[in-house]
Amino acid sequence: MIPEMVFFLIDLFGSAAFALSGAMVACQKKADLFGVVFLAETTALGGGMIRDVLLGRFPPAMFTNWQDLNVALAMALVVFFAVLRHSETYYREEALVERINNLVDAVGLGMFAVTGCQVAAAAGYQANGFLVVFMGTITAVGGGLLRDIILGEIPFILTKYIYALAAIAGATSYYLLDRWGADSTLAAAVGICVTFVLRWLATRYKWNLPRPA
Amino acid sequence: MIPEMVFFLIDLFGSAAFALSGAMVACQKKADLFGVVFLAETTALGGGMIRDVLLGRFPPAMFTNWQDLNVALAMALVVFFAVLRHSETYYREEALVERINNLVDAVGLGMFAVTGCQVAAAAGYQANGFLVVFMGTITAVGGGLLRDIILGEIPFILTKYIYALAAIAGATSYYLLDRWGADSTLAAAVGICVTFVLRWLATRYKWNLPRPA
Amino acid sequence: MIPEMVFFLIDLFGSAAFALSGAMVACQKKADLFGVVFLAETTALGGGMIRDVLLGRFPPAMFTNWQDLNVALAMALVVFFAVLRHSETYYREEALVERINNLVDAVGLGMFAVTGCQVAAAAGYQANGFLVVFMGTITAVGGGLLRDIILGEIPFILTKYIYALAAIAGATSYYLLDRWGADSTLAAAVGICVTFVLRWLATRYKWNLPRPA
């Protein structure tokens, strides 16, 4: 029973982290109360929704896991009213906001990369490594991708330093450790850390992949 | 048998209203004949398609309910050739076009909010109020959302006065009345009216939700 | 057994053509290595993924047909490193690149229009002509549509000369010949040629549909 509780908590924290990050992006766009809640929920739940549709799990988990929905709502309201009260400070400290956002987002990225793999494996696809890692990655990047598409922006995954690659690396670590019989809590911890550290280092040192001049 | 016919008619009128609104938006963008038909069909059928995919109903209703497809096609052709013949008047009277469009769109919004809830309840989810109201809302706003995403525009639901909220209010009214055992034709009428009146008042008096300065 | 191998090969060539076209668009946008691979795969596999989700086939074919994934990866790497080495020539010869891209894309368009119909018919919907032709068309245009939506651009299907219409014409030819009992290899060849020739003529002579002045 313990691993199940572990994945429940990771999923909850991941939702909170992504909702926080989504609400901050929405506030930067000067969205209204509805927009902030909508974009926070999209960022938090969108990746899992895409994963469930691709796996054929109906209705998607967001319609039965109330805790994710509610924690994302709570984060959206906290961010919205904090920004409403201190909007001047908020918009002046843009660089700080960006840095906090990147950090929180990297935590959510690692957590969802792991829970996404876990859901795909539990659905009976353990033997298909590509499918499992893909589902981990889309769970991690899908919410932000959907939010950026709705806002009409070039998605994070195409512009941020090593964003999707960090999720792929974390999902792959988790998948391999799990296949090799490692303790699943340990495998999850390694997957989250790999994603977080890789993403953080890439942001810190502005690592880029090659591109044509 | 009567309620079934009622929902059939509401769905048909909703499709016509959204196709009209979608075709007018397409003409404002100076789309060609194919673009006008494509965007009218997307606006009319897109919300129901998203709903059916999320509910796991395959193939989605648009592939078997020919009447929705055909009425949307007819509206698209009428709008296209009317604008082609009277393009000068059309582009001069932009404010009037916008006002008619808003009115027609609000009717479709209420109708689809109600039929979306009805489909979700019929699929066996009556007990899950969040799911039913979500499906009503996505049926109502999904087509316009998809159209705006395809056109690369910030979606209506994030910018128009009380747009998604009106659909949520209408869907919730319908759902509660239905749960409380009200006549389903009456519940549908109330749901449509709540959405329409709320949306109309919000447009008329420019009601806005709070947002950071 | 022969027709099955024929459709396998058509699908493989179509994936290669679309990956080539997607990678060239990605290089024009100065995407990095990950972006080029991601957009090539999206262009090659996205249409089939949308088709499978709408048909309720889970998991979508891209998770089990490794050959499509791999051929698209190979094309993306070839294009990326070719452009990286000869970037000056590449960006100078924009008109030539565009012309090659259009030609390769038209081949993929015809091939996927046919295989999309074939998958829909094999899934048991032979009798629903609208569904079959729609699935052929969305298989053909869906990957490019998804790529354009992700890049925040007005999609090809709304701006290029007779793009979706060419796919519709090819899918319809294939469907009708197949229904009338023609040899399926012949029907596939006709479908591909109709799409390719129509698209090529439309590009060559700049055929446009009517639109308001």
Side-chain angles (χ1 to χ4, degrees):
Chain A
M1 291 318 282
I2 286 175
E4 216 162 276
M5 180 54 92
V6 170
F7 284 108
F8 178 89
L9 285 176
I10 295 177
D11 197 57
L12 197 63
F13 274 91
S15 299
F18 270 163
L20 187 61
S21 149
M24 287 169 85
V25 171
C27 286
Q28 284 178 310
K29 302 271 157 202
K30 320 235 163 158
D32 66 14
L33 177 55
F34 175 80
V36 172
V37 171
F38 177 79
L39 292 171
E41 295 282 4
T42 301
T43 312
L45 308 177
M49 194 191 70
I50 297 174
R51 175 202 64 213
D52 289 346
V53 166
L54 291 176
L55 287 173
R57 299 169 80 227
F58 300 109
M62 58 173 279
F63 293 109
T64 45
N65 296 359
W66 305 107
Q67 69 282 357
D68 292 341
L69 194 83
N70 288 330
V71 79
L73 178 63
M75 298 309 286
L77 295 178
V78 166
V79 170
F80 181 77
F81 288 107
V83 172
L84 200 64
R85 283 210 160 198
H86 309 284
S87 63
E88 215 172 301
T89 325
Y90 184 81
Y91 294 113
R92 201 178 51 220
E93 303 291 346
E94 215 178 301
L96 181 65
V97 166
E98 183 77 18
R99 243 164 65 201
I100 297 174
N101 198 348
N102 267 331
L103 225 64
V104 170
D105 192 80
V107 173
L109 196 69
M111 287 178 162
F112 274 15
V114 163
T115 59
C117 289
Q118 202 263 339
V119 169
Y125 296 109
Q126 311 92 312
N128 188 335
F130 169 67
L131 185 149
V132 171
V133 170
F134 182 95
M135 292 302 169
T137 307
I138 200 73
T139 308
V141 307
L145 183 63
L146 214 53
R147 180 197 60 211
D148 293 343
I149 287 175
I150 289 173
L151 289 172
E153 312 218 313
I154 302 283
F156 271 27
I157 58 166
L158 292 179
T159 56
K160 284 210 162 186
Y161 305 106
I162 315 283
Y163 192 79
L165 274 188
I168 293 173
T172 306
S173 322
Y174 170 78
Y175 177 71
L176 291 178
L177 285 173
D178 196 52
R179 290 290 278 176
W180 294 338
D183 176 73
S184 66
T185 308
L186 176 74
V190 171
I192 295 170
C193 288
V194 165
T195 304
F196 180 81
V197 171
L198 200 56
R199 173 81 183 106
W200 186 80
L201 288 174
T203 312
R204 178 80 181 70
Y205 296 102
K206 300 189 185 299
W207 285 348
N208 273 314
L209 289 176
R211 77 180 66 210
Chain B
M1 291 317 284
I2 287 174
E4 217 163 276
M5 180 53 94
V6 171
F7 285 107
F8 178 89
L9 286 176
I10 295 177
D11 197 58
L12 199 63
F13 274 91
S15 300
F18 270 163
L20 187 60
S21 149
M24 288 169 85
V25 171
C27 286
Q28 283 178 310
K29 302 272 154 197
K30 318 233 164 156
D32 65 14
L33 178 55
F34 175 78
V36 172
V37 171
F38 177 79
L39 291 172
E41 296 282 3
T42 301
T43 313
L45 307 176
M49 193 191 70
I50 297 174
R51 175 201 63 213
D52 289 346
V53 166
L54 291 176
L55 288 173
R57 300 169 80 228
F58 300 108
M62 58 174 279
F63 293 108
T64 45
N65 296 358
W66 306 105
Q67 71 282 358
D68 292 340
L69 195 82
N70 288 331
V71 80
L73 177 63
M75 298 309 286
L77 295 177
V78 166
V79 170
F80 181 77
F81 288 107
V83 171
L84 201 63
R85 283 211 159 196
H86 309 283
S87 63
E88 214 172 304
T89 324
Y90 183 80
Y91 294 113
R92 200 178 51 222
E93 302 290 348
E94 214 179 301
L96 180 65
V97 166
E98 181 77 19
R99 243 165 65 201
I100 297 174
N101 198 348
N102 267 332
L103 225 64
V104 170
D105 192 80
V107 173
L109 196 69
M111 287 178 163
F112 274 15
V114 163
T115 58
C117 290
Q118 202 263 340
V119 168
Y125 297 107
Q126 311 90 313
N128 189 336
F130 169 67
L131 186 149
V132 171
V133 170
F134 183 95
M135 292 301 169
T137 306
I138 200 73
T139 307
V141 307
L145 183 62
L146 215 54
R147 181 196 58 211
D148 293 342
I149 287 175
I150 289 173
L151 288 172
E153 312 219 313
I154 301 283
F156 271 26
I157 58 165
L158 292 179
T159 56
K160 283 211 163 183
Y161 305 107
I162 315 281
Y163 192 78
L165 275 187
I168 293 173
T172 307
S173 321
Y174 170 77
Y175 177 71
L176 291 178
L177 285 174
D178 195 51
R179 288 289 280 176
W180 294 338
D183 176 74
S184 66
T185 308
L186 176 74
V190 171
I192 295 169
C193 288
V194 165
T195 303
F196 180 81
V197 170
L198 200 55
R199 173 81 183 107
W200 187 81
L201 287 174
T203 312
R204 179 80 181 67
Y205 296 102
K206 300 188 187 299
W207 286 347
N208 273 314
L209 289 177
R211 77 179 68 210
Chain C
M1 291 319 284
I2 287 174
E4 216 163 278
M5 180 54 93
V6 170
F7 284 107
F8 177 89
L9 286 176
I10 296 177
D11 197 57
L12 198 63
F13 274 91
S15 299
F18 269 162
L20 186 61
S21 149
M24 287 170 85
V25 171
C27 286
Q28 284 178 310
K29 302 273 156 198
K30 318 233 163 159
D32 65 15
L33 177 55
F34 174 79
V36 172
V37 172
F38 177 79
L39 292 171
E41 296 281 4
T42 301
T43 312
L45 308 177
M49 194 192 69
I50 296 174
R51 174 202 65 211
D52 288 347
V53 166
L54 291 176
L55 287 173
R57 299 169 81 228
F58 300 108
M62 58 174 278
F63 294 108
T64 45
N65 296 359
W66 307 105
Q67 69 282 357
D68 292 340
L69 195 82
N70 289 330
V71 79
L73 178 62
M75 299 307 288
L77 295 177
V78 166
V79 170
F80 181 77
F81 288 107
V83 172
L84 201 63
R85 283 208 159 200
H86 309 283
S87 63
E88 215 171 303
T89 325
Y90 183 80
Y91 294 112
R92 200 179 50 223
E93 302 291 348
E94 215 178 300
L96 180 65
V97 167
E98 182 77 18
R99 242 165 65 202
I100 297 174
N101 198 348
N102 267 332
L103 224 63
V104 171
D105 193 80
V107 174
L109 197 69
M111 288 179 162
F112 274 15
V114 163
T115 58
C117 290
Q118 201 262 340
V119 169
Y125 296 109
Q126 312 91 312
N128 188 337
F130 169 67
L131 186 149
V132 171
V133 171
F134 182 96
M135 292 301 170
T137 307
I138 200 74
T139 307
V141 306
L145 183 62
L146 215 54
R147 180 197 59 212
D148 293 342
I149 287 175
I150 288 173
L151 289 172
E153 313 217 312
I154 301 284
F156 271 26
I157 57 166
L158 292 180
T159 55
K160 284 210 162 185
Y161 305 106
I162 316 281
Y163 192 79
L165 275 187
I168 293 173
T172 306
S173 322
Y174 169 78
Y175 177 71
L176 291 178
L177 285 173
D178 194 54
R179 289 290 279 177
W180 294 336
D183 175 73
S184 65
T185 308
L186 176 75
V190 171
I192 294 169
C193 288
V194 165
T195 304
F196 180 81
V197 171
L198 201 55
R199 174 80 184 106
W200 186 80
L201 288 174
T203 312
R204 177 83 182 67
Y205 296 103
K206 300 190 186 298
W207 285 348
N208 274 313
L209 289 177
R211 76 180 67 211

